[in-house]
Amino acid sequence: MGRPLRIQYPGAFYHITSRGNEKKDIFLRDKDRKKFLSILEDYHDRYRILIHCYVLMKNHYHLVLETPLGNLLKVMHGINSAYTGYFNREYDRVGHLFQGRYRAIAVDRDAYLLELSRYLHLNPVRAGMVDRPEKYRWSSYLGYMRKSDELSWVKYSLVLSQCGGNWEKSRREYRLFVEKGLEGEAANPLGELYGQVILGTEEFIERLRDLLLGKKMSQEIVARRKLKGQPAPEEILRTVADAYGEDLVALKERRRDHEARKVAIYMMKRYSGLSNCEVAEHFGGLHYSAVTKTCTRLALSMDRNKELRKHIQAIMSKVKT
């Protein structure tokens, strides 16, 4: 599996998730949760991060944090390393505690922060751990409800300001907003991700795409083509059709040993950023598994046939420009 893209810039907002290795619990006792919160407080002070929301589950945690200094990588490496060190010492173990790399979704705060905070605070309810979010001790929700439960290092003001009015009214409105989610009115905002790593409006997505233009991205990075401005599927089809003297309808027809069609499938899979199912839809209801098979077989043919490889590479150069 490809490594997730890290979008890092000053003032960025993120939804962070990190899970236990092999889905194992990372919090065994209240002592562990208290330690993790103390690490968050320490990194808030040391690296000037702003933590807007958190929830500690059994085998994972969620954060909504802001990085005024654009130092996400340093912050998250430090938080997970510090807690892993504590956990390994406490339970006389060695090795990785977390499963791979944490997930960091760049968030458009104006459009999604309020919804995202509700989604996080309702996690324990969705998991069946409690029937109401205020009954769960290990989230930032209690601080949103009562001033007496606020933590000095959690920034409640930004979310509450989106509820309007004075602080007392904002807390009341926010509670009502969250409780509507208990009635099934809250959709999962993470279902609206772009390129698996951005949650925001079209304008926000374009701003981040502009930010990433010209920056080198690892070939392992998930959704890199979407973020760097991939060619549209129809553009790919037209380029391949022109190279073979075919029309678009012919490319989409299911014909045996149709080289142009195979190349079009290969190019669309390689450069469009679409899933196998999405690619298949452009070729007359082709089964998604056939997309992978077609690409694999064509790649083998290119290895064996120098002329075919040169021809396809020439088409690639046109698709990428």
Side-chain angles (χ1 to χ4, degrees):
M1 181 178 293
R3 293 189 292 114
L5 173 64
R6 299 295 182 230
I7 300 175
Q8 180 174 253
Y9 61 95
F13 274 71
Y14 302 97
H15 171 226
I16 304 291
T17 313
S18 197
R19 298 184 178 277
N21 198 26
E22 298 178 338
K23 299 182 180 180
K24 293 180 180 178
D25 288 354
I26 59 174
F27 302 113
L28 304 183
R29 298 180 293 173
D30 285 353
K31 179 181 178 181
D32 304 336
R33 297 178 177 88
K34 290 177 181 177
K35 178 62 178 180
F36 187 82
L37 294 182
S38 73
I39 292 172
L40 291 184
E41 180 178 13
D42 179 43
Y43 273 73
H44 162 266
D45 293 337
R46 290 170 59 188
Y47 293 103
R48 293 171 56 188
I49 60 172
L50 302 176
I51 300 169
H52 296 273
C53 305
Y54 70 84
V55 59
L56 311 185
M57 304 298 281
K58 291 182 178 180
N59 66 355
H60 67 283
Y61 68 80
H62 295 265
L63 303 174
V64 174
L65 64 82
E66 179 182 356
T67 56
L69 302 182
N71 52 356
L72 176 71
L73 276 66
K74 181 179 291 186
V75 166
M76 288 309 305
H77 175 75
I79 289 173
N80 279 1
S81 294
Y83 185 71
T84 297
Y86 154 80
F87 194 89
N88 285 353
R89 291 190 300 272
E90 186 71 16
Y91 297 104
D92 192 25
R93 66 182 297 279
V94 295
H96 298 292
L97 176 63
F98 293 100
Q99 178 180 303
R101 305 176 84 213
Y102 60 90
R103 189 182 190 191
I105 297 169
V107 178
D108 181 348
R109 75 174 197 178
D110 295 329
Y112 284 96
L113 181 58
L114 190 61
E115 283 281 354
L116 188 58
S117 71
R118 174 166 69 177
Y119 175 76
L120 261 67
H121 288 146
L122 288 179
N123 251 266
V125 178
R126 288 194 300 274
M129 302 170 75
V130 291
D131 59 355
R132 297 186 61 82
E134 64 267 27
K135 293 183 180 180
Y136 192 69
R137 179 182 174 188
W138 303 105
S139 87
S140 51
Y141 186 65
L142 290 177
Y144 277 93
M145 294 299 91
R146 295 183 292 271
K147 186 173 180 59
S148 59
D149 286 316
E150 286 185 357
L151 298 175
S152 62
W153 48 271
V154 176
K155 187 175 179 63
Y156 305 94
S157 59
L158 189 59
V159 171
L160 291 177
S161 69
Q162 297 191 15
C163 295
N166 57 36
W167 286 118
E168 183 178 347
K169 181 180 179 182
S170 295
R171 290 182 192 277
R172 185 168 60 251
E173 291 297 320
Y174 183 69
R175 176 177 58 80
L176 292 174
F177 174 72
V178 172
E179 289 182 351
K180 285 183 179 179
L182 296 173
E183 302 167 5
E185 296 184 19
N188 178 2
L190 299 179
E192 302 177 29
L193 292 182
Y194 176 85
Q196 302 182 44
V197 289
I198 301 178
L199 179 63
T201 62
E202 291 185 9
E203 181 182 359
F204 180 76
I205 291 168
E206 285 304 310
R207 288 206 308 269
L208 292 195
R209 282 169 56 119
D210 289 344
L211 179 71
L212 294 168
L213 283 176
K215 292 189 175 182
K216 185 176 180 179
M217 296 185 190
S218 165
Q219 288 303 302
E220 298 177 7
I221 285 175
V222 172
R224 60 194 177 276
R225 299 184 193 104
K226 278 193 173 185
L227 295 170
K228 297 203 80 170
Q230 79 279 22
E234 291 302 317
E235 292 177 9
I236 294 173
L237 286 172
R238 279 195 296 271
T239 302
V240 175
D242 289 346
Y244 280 91
E246 298 267 12
D247 60 38
L248 295 181
V249 174
L251 283 187
K252 297 179 180 181
E253 291 177 347
R254 303 182 71 170
R255 288 193 284 158
R256 189 176 181 83
D257 297 325
H258 188 187
E259 183 178 301
R261 175 181 166 87
K262 294 176 184 177
V263 172
I265 293 171
Y266 179 82
M267 294 290 182
M268 193 176 294
K269 173 61 178 173
R270 186 176 180 89
Y271 295 113
S272 72
L274 298 179
S275 67
N276 282 1
C277 288
E278 291 169 328
V279 170
E281 289 176 2
H282 287 273
F283 294 91
L286 185 71
H287 194 272
Y288 70 88
S289 64
V291 173
T292 298
K293 292 176 182 177
T294 298
C295 294
T296 301
R297 289 168 182 166
L298 184 61
L300 289 173
S301 296
M302 290 167 62
D303 286 341
R304 301 189 191 106
N305 188 326
K306 184 177 178 181
E307 291 303 314
L308 175 64
R309 182 169 67 251
K310 286 178 63 177
H311 181 54
I312 292 177
Q313 286 174 343
I315 301 173
M316 283 182 186
S317 65
K318 294 178 182 178
V319 168
K320 291 188 289 184
T321 56

